[in-house]
Every structure is written in structure tokens, then in C-alpha cells.
Amino acid sequence: MNLDEILHKENLSKEEIVFLLNLTDKNDQQFLFDRADEVRSKYCGNEVHLRGIIELSNYCEQNCIYCGLREDNKKLQRYRMTPEEIIETAHVISNLGIYTVVLQSGEDHQFDTAMIAYIIYEIKQKAELAVTLSLGERGFDEYRSWKMAGADRYLLKHETANPKLYSIYHNKQRLDDRLAHLKFLKEIGYQIGSGNMIGLPLQTVEDIADDILFCKELDLDMAAFGPFISSPETPYRSKSAGDVDLTLRVMAVGRIVLKQVHIPATTALATLDDAGRIKGLNVGANIIMPDLTPSPYRERYQIYPDRKCINDNPLNCKGCLQLQIESIGRKISNSRGDSMKIGEHSRA
Ligand code: 5AD
Ligand code: SF4
């Protein structure tokens, strides 16, 4: 196969995606990265959007095999922020000049329909912010109520598009259900985000190619590709982490295949490699999602250990990111950074 030709094709086959994901020669890999950067620049420009995450609860009713928040982890000290703390944190984020807040938690039904709706409504009343929800699989009526309350986007990663692996990782849950949730969310007007994890046990490069095609099929507004990191109180405690270079290739191929989609340089990537954020921004990413959860909660949201910046003061975060982003000739956006597909489907 001719690399240059493949990199400029309008549509890539699964075989071509696998070929790109397997590039190990340094020059070939750089060629791929440069093409992804070019596609990013064409479709997204030079702006980087920040999404400030508030981790409102680390309770979770699920038992995902890789995740430190899984219900069976009895060692984790659990917390729930109060609605007032969450709303206050959202305003701090807004005052930092960050225009999206992500409300994230494990699957925690104690935060019921009305409480989440109240929080969304209050945040939107007092600030010009986009609200993204990342609360796991919830009821279809709940998604509807939260949309009415003002939520703009929903983030629900598929983690793997291989149905067998999906059931192994997710305690016999079904990929089809996740797909139905994502489709419903899109149908009722949410901008939707999904994505996978790279380097999970049993996963092949073919599976990862299917993940990218799954994102294309779903016509996502945001696609996140992040490495797996082993977490001590889980069945995968002794598994090795995802490979940084493979993750970068997945992001690059993701950009080339998905084109006008938002792609974050993930915290997991930055955790494995100190330069991960910059590397990610240079291979197709245009989003950074800093954790702005206040102490003492942030330390307890232990999906995996030693998360990047976990001991830093959230108030210093934007300045630090700004220096990094400007060092590579990019700049922080002053807009909400809505879907680049808006117009193709409804806006919030
Ligand atoms: N390594 C990397 N990412 C993880 N997540 C959960 N566990 C891990 C892990 N061990 C990510 C998943 C999930 C989100 C809550 O965090 O993508 O969607
Ligand atoms: Fe819960 Fe999400 Fe972790 Fe699964 S990945 S255990 S749903 S917090």
C-alpha cells in the first residue's frame, strides 16, 4: 500500500485503517501525524477548546472491569458534592473564561432526575456556559428532562465496538444498549461524544479500527481515544498500560477518518507521558478537558492512580494550559466550541 495515497483518500477501508495503526517506522509515523495535523488545521483551525470537568460523585452502580470507581471497590472513599458546591464550581469555571462545563460521575442514581435538572438549570441561569453531561447510562426520560433543563451535550464512551469484549469489560452489559442510548441522545438534540480505550487486555488493532469506524457510523460530535491505565483495586490491576505511540496513531487516524469532529488530548495520555497533551494536540486533537473538581474530592475520583495534575490547584490550571498551548502556536478559544456539524443537525 502507498502511504501518501492512503493518507489523502476521502474514505478509508478497515484494512487501510489497520495498516495506518500498525505503522512503526518513525518516518512513516511522522508522516501520518503531519497529515492528521493538516486535517485538524483545515477543519478546526488553531483554536483549542477547554472543557472544565466537575466530578460530582464517585459512587457507581456499575462494575466495569478496568475502572477504580467500580462498585466492588470497597476501599475507595466515596463522596457526593452538594448541588450548591457543583453550581458554585461551575461559576468559578465560567469566571476562568472556560465556556463548557462537564458534569461527570459514576452511575449514581442518588443524583436523580430532578436534582440533575436543577443543577443544569441553575448553572445555565447564571452563566453563558455549555453543559455536557457524562453520567453514564441513564433513563431515556431522564435524558429528555435534562435536555429540557438546558443540557447541550452528552458524553458516553463505547470503550470497545467489539460486542464480546464489551460484555467482558462491562459485566455482561450489551454494546447494543449503549448504541441505542447514543442514538436516542442524538435524536433528541444532544451533541454526542463517545470513544474508546486503547490497550485493554484482549483488544486487537482490528478492534481499534472498528472503534474508529463505529465513531464514524455514529456521526459523533466528539470522539475521545485514550489509553488504558491499570488501576489497583480492579481485576486488571496487573495489566500493562496502553502504548503512547499507538494512542497517538489512533488519534491521528481518528482525525483523518472523522474530519470535523472534536478530539481531546486526554488526561490519561498526559498521565502516561508528561508531554502527552502537546503530543496529542500535534496529531489531531483540538480539545483539552482539565479536571476542575475542588479538593478534597478530586483526589478521590480515582479511575486510575496518579492522574495528571491531580495535586494541582484548579485555579492555576488555565494559565498553565495556556502556556503549553501557545508554545506550539495555538490558542485557547473564547467560544463554547459547539459541534462543528451544527446545521447538519439541531443546535441546543
Ligand atoms: N484507564 C483509562 N481510562 C479509564 N476510564 C475508566 N477506567 C479507566 C482506566 N483504567 C475512563 C473510561 C470511562 C471514564 C469514566 O474513564 O473511558 O468512560
Ligand atoms: Fe462506573 Fe463509569 Fe467506572 Fe464503569 S467506567 S465503573 S460506569 S465510573
Side-chain angles (χ1 to χ4, degrees):
M1 293 201 225
N2 178 309
L3 180 55
D4 193 50
E5 215 171 281
I6 294 177
L7 291 177
H8 288 82
K9 280 181 72 169
E10 187 55 28
N11 287 301
L12 295 184
S13 67
K14 180 171 171 184
E15 289 66 37
E16 288 162 339
I17 291 176
V18 168
F19 170 79
L20 294 176
L21 294 178
N22 277 327
L23 292 177
T24 43
D25 176 88
K26 284 283 165 220
N27 289 328
D28 287 351
Q29 187 173 268
Q30 195 55 48
F31 216 47
L32 165 68
F33 292 165
D34 290 347
R35 176 63 185 149
D37 198 44
E38 195 174 280
V39 175
R40 185 272 310 156
S41 161
K42 176 174 169 191
Y43 288 99
C44 317
N46 272 335
E47 293 195 335
V48 176
H49 301 285
L50 302 185
R51 321 293 203 198
I53 301 185
I54 307 175
E55 292 146 342
L56 47 97
S57 158
N58 68 353
Y59 281 86
C60 187
E61 292 157 27
Q62 294 294 344
N63 252 317
C64 303
I65 197 164
Y66 44 74
C67 179
L69 304 193
R70 63 202 309 273
E71 189 177 30
D72 283 357
N73 179 5
K74 305 296 180 204
K75 292 210 176 137
L76 183 65
Q77 191 181 359
R78 306 280 174 169
Y79 71 84
R80 290 189 179 98
M81 291 175 70
T82 65
E84 287 63 38
E85 285 174 320
I86 297 163
I87 295 159
E88 169 61 23
T89 305
H91 293 136
V92 170
I93 290 175
S94 168
N95 289 335
L96 285 171
I98 294 178
Y99 303 102
T100 296
V101 63
V102 183
L103 303 180
Q104 189 159 69
S105 72
E107 268 181 47
D108 179 11
H109 285 81
Q110 288 277 326
F111 272 99
D112 63 17
T113 319
M115 264 169 90
I116 295 289
Y118 167 75
I119 292 163
I120 297 166
Y121 184 80
E122 286 294 311
I123 291 175
K124 301 279 297 199
Q125 280 299 300
K126 296 189 199 127
E128 280 288 310
L129 277 174
V131 172
T132 300
L133 303 178
S134 176
L135 307 173
E137 277 184 24
R138 300 289 299 250
F140 283 26
D141 285 346
E142 301 194 285
Y143 298 144
R144 229 193 276 275
S145 302
W146 299 335
K147 189 81 193 46
M148 302 266 290
D152 301 281
R153 313 182 187 134
Y154 208 100
L155 175 54
L156 187 62
K157 290 181 70 180
H158 70 278
E159 315 295 0
T160 176
N162 175 327
K164 285 209 184 82
L165 292 184
Y166 189 92
S167 290
I168 293 173
Y169 301 149
H170 301 114
N171 204 17
K172 306 209 170 68
Q173 284 185 297
R174 284 158 23 102
L175 177 64
D176 277 353
D177 289 333
R178 180 126 316 190
L179 186 59
H181 282 247
L182 281 161
K183 284 189 170 157
F184 181 77
L185 287 161
K186 189 178 173 69
E187 224 172 82
I188 63 171
Y190 281 92
Q191 300 169 38
I192 55 166
S194 194
N196 77 345
M197 226 186 291
I198 294 145
L200 281 163
L202 308 173
Q203 180 192 52
T204 65
V205 172
E206 283 74 18
D207 291 324
I208 299 175
D210 283 333
D211 288 333
I212 295 172
L213 290 168
F214 182 93
C215 293
K216 185 177 180 194
E217 181 71 31
L218 268 170
D219 193 21
L220 299 177
D221 303 297
M222 196 270 250
F225 308 105
F228 160 72
I229 299 174
S230 78
S231 190
E233 300 302 326
T234 69
Y236 281 169
R237 66 178 69 81
S238 56
K239 305 292 181 190
S240 45
D243 182 73
V244 168
D245 274 352
L246 174 60
T247 303
L248 294 171
R249 291 197 295 276
V250 177
M251 293 169 68
V253 178
R255 170 58 70 201
I256 291 167
V257 170
L258 304 171
K259 302 185 179 73
Q260 70 274 48
V261 72
H262 291 300
I263 298 182
T266 65
T267 302
L269 178 61
T271 299
L272 290 182
D273 183 329
D274 275 339
R277 288 206 169 110
I278 296 295
K279 287 185 181 176
L281 289 175
N282 281 330
V283 303
N286 70 319
I287 301 276
I288 291 183
M289 304 177 70
D291 175 11
L292 300 178
T293 311
S295 274
Y297 306 121
R298 55 196 282 113
E299 299 86 340
R300 299 190 207 151
Y301 204 83
Q302 286 172 16
I303 296 173
Y304 50 78
D306 304 322
R307 260 188 315 150
K308 180 78 175 167
C309 303
I310 202 66
N311 296 317
D312 295 349
N313 180 345
L315 296 178
N316 300 332
C317 184
K318 189 179 174 194
C320 170
L321 289 175
Q322 185 164 358
L323 282 176
Q324 295 182 55
I325 289 165
E326 289 178 356
S327 79
I328 53 166
R330 307 269 285 275
K331 61 176 216 158
I332 293 183
S333 167
N334 284 322
S335 76
R336 289 172 25 143
D338 277 299
S339 171
M340 288 179 279
K341 298 177 176 176
I342 250 154
E344 284 177 37
H345 61 78
S346 68
R347 193 188 164 131

